[in-house]
Amino acid sequence: MKLRNMSICQSWWLCRPLTKSLFSPQTQRFWCHSLPLSTKVKILKHKVEPLGISLDNSCLPGNYHNLFCPKCKGGQLMERSLSFHIITDGEFAIWRCFRPICGWAGQVSADDKELDNKPDEESLGLEPLGPKLVAYFKERLISEKTLSRNSVRQLSDEKNVIAFTYKQNGLIVGCKYRTMEKRFWQGKVIDKVLYGLDDISHATEIIIVEGEIDKLSLEEAGYQNCVSVPDGAPGKVSSKDPPPIEKDTAYQYLWNSKDYLDKVVRIILATDNDPPGQALAEELARRLGRERCWQVRWPKKDELSFFKDANECQVLHTYNHSIVANGPRFSNTWELML
Ligand SMILES: [Zn+2]
């Protein structure tokens, strides 16, 4: 029954007069009639590749293609569920995954002007960190080398604002700003993903932290296989089960990073040692699968308190510090050296 539904969905999608029904006159204004067809196809190919859609030479304009969906991978049956179409004159490409649980859809135009709208450091008004912010990070034991490798920048017209660039496949997909007074805001976002995503593209063991600075701290300790959540921690653990993926807006960054996370065998949750941090660890474990999640126990700071996070641990303990993570079964432990 399920399969039958899917094929109905698929044929419904494929039979629709796509160009007429889904594209408003506004979209058409971007059409570029001047470029040769082969160039337009090349541009489209170039644009969809970072999204995980790989086109071979058989993908010609005017035809429909069933490809593997990079978001859901076609589910358990590994169906080629992504219906992909380049319109006849090569002006744009459009796609939709016909698995109802996924339904990923999108479009790109062959107009080069659209490429100009992609954020880069220049369009975001970013520049390399100045001496003041470099000193700020140095106090937190984060070196210029680590800052540079992670493309940490500052706003060129407001020099005290740190800009954490969020990248995927080397391209900026988002940017988060932070003042020295710990005020945060989000810049233009194309895709909400984990911070440092490219660093886990080949990792089977990863560490998830609660902030960009903790990610940088772990790099100082020798761990590059680390990512940070983009939005900090929730107030408390939800009393309900996680909603379906498409409605799970608060954790969309996990689903957008799914390709990277699916192949990971062990996930070390190194969130903050406070109630929101513990709630975040729980919400992450619920979504990532408890069986592969391990949770860090931050060590005692003094008689009464514990360290709060990776950065605090590192700043207050300049010597090597062994930190234990508890595995899904209590007998399992894993050590992190900070
Ligand atoms: Zn899909």
Side-chain angles (χ1 to χ4, degrees):
M1 188 60 205
K2 215 173 172 184
L3 270 175
R4 224 173 95 200
N5 278 343
M6 278 180 185
S7 58
I8 291 167
C9 274
Q10 183 183 15
S11 50
W12 173 84
W13 163 251
L14 292 178
C15 293
R16 292 263 292 194
L18 298 173
T19 53
K20 285 194 182 115
S21 62
L22 296 177
F23 287 85
S24 63
Q26 265 183 335
T27 315
Q28 291 171 16
R29 115 184 110 83
F30 292 112
W31 285 21
C32 44
H33 296 283
S34 51
L35 296 170
L37 183 60
S38 60
T39 309
K40 287 189 274 191
V41 172
K42 227 181 249 172
I43 292 171
L44 292 172
K45 204 175 159 180
H46 180 78
K47 284 185 173 184
V48 299
E49 256 169 16
L51 303 171
I53 302 178
S54 50
L55 302 179
D56 55 32
N57 293 336
S58 68
C59 284
L60 299 172
N63 295 341
Y64 289 91
H65 305 279
N66 285 353
L67 307 175
F68 282 109
C69 169
K71 296 287 173 189
C72 71
K73 301 272 194 314
Q76 277 189 335
L77 296 172
M78 303 201 325
E79 294 172 278
R80 296 176 78 93
S81 56
L82 194 76
S83 176
F84 185 89
H85 179 60
I86 297 176
I87 69 157
T88 315
D89 56 10
E91 299 295 348
F92 57 84
I94 171 176
W95 62 88
R96 181 182 293 274
C97 174
F98 61 74
R99 296 184 66 239
I101 196 169
C102 174
W104 182 53
Q107 62 187 66
V108 290
S109 150
D111 191 334
D112 259 341
K113 273 187 222 127
E114 208 185 73
L115 280 179
D116 297 339
N117 293 333
K118 283 248 164 75
D120 58 16
E121 291 193 9
E122 201 189 331
S123 69
L124 292 170
L126 306 183
E127 63 178 20
L129 291 172
K132 198 168 171 186
L133 288 179
V134 168
Y136 171 88
F137 280 110
K138 198 175 171 193
E139 259 174 49
R140 283 153 187 79
L141 302 185
I142 294 164
S143 66
E144 281 191 75
K145 187 175 155 220
T146 295
L147 294 168
S148 154
R149 200 196 68 82
N150 288 277
S151 308
V152 181
R153 301 287 184 254
Q154 67 183 28
L155 276 176
S156 45
D157 53 4
E158 228 179 308
K159 312 241 180 247
N160 292 336
V161 176
I162 302 158
F164 295 105
T165 52
Y166 278 64
K167 291 186 179 184
Q168 186 169 16
N169 297 319
L171 295 173
I172 297 180
V173 292
C175 191
K176 193 166 138 194
Y177 303 96
R178 183 196 203 267
T179 64
M180 286 193 272
E181 298 76 39
K182 260 194 122 172
R183 201 162 59 81
F184 295 96
W185 68 96
Q186 190 85 55
K188 182 174 177 174
V189 175
I190 290 186
D191 228 353
K192 198 160 232 190
V193 294
L194 290 157
Y195 178 65
L197 190 58
D198 287 343
D199 287 340
I200 61 163
S201 55
H202 301 292
T204 52
E205 183 168 281
I206 66 163
I207 305 165
I208 301 184
V209 291
E210 202 180 308
E212 294 84 359
I213 290 186
D214 287 328
K215 144 101 181 133
L216 303 176
S217 291
L218 280 169
E219 181 155 335
E220 290 297 336
Y223 299 95
Q224 241 179 53
N225 54 332
C226 175
V227 283
S228 167
V229 301
D231 298 326
K236 60 181 173 54
V237 175
S238 167
S239 57
K240 294 180 203 145
D241 282 341
I245 293 175
E246 64 277 10
K247 291 199 177 130
D248 198 15
T249 44
Y251 296 89
Q252 216 39 245
Y253 60 84
L254 285 184
W255 306 117
N256 290 338
S257 311
K258 192 172 181 301
D259 288 0
Y260 295 74
L261 296 168
D262 275 354
K263 55 183 185 300
V264 173
V265 178
R266 177 156 44 196
I267 299 169
I268 316 294
L269 302 173
T271 55
D272 289 4
N273 186 17
D274 55 18
Q278 298 310 296
L280 175 63
E282 171 61 25
E283 294 290 356
L284 292 173
R286 285 177 173 187
R287 288 164 175 83
L288 297 167
R290 220 171 278 283
E291 63 289 349
R292 56 176 181 157
C293 289
W294 299 53
Q295 191 175 7
V296 156
R297 265 186 309 163
W298 297 112
K300 266 197 154 180
K301 182 153 75 176
D302 49 44
E303 283 294 291
L304 298 168
S305 62
F306 290 83
F307 286 108
K308 183 177 157 284
D309 58 30
N311 187 249
E312 193 185 69
C313 227
Q314 210 167 25
V315 171
L316 299 181
H317 276 251
T318 44
Y319 53 87
N320 272 359
H321 202 102
S322 158
I323 288 153
V324 171
N326 276 337
R329 284 168 226 89
F330 284 107
S331 54
N332 295 345
T333 54
W334 181 88
E335 266 191 2
L336 187 70
M337 295 293 288
L338 283 185

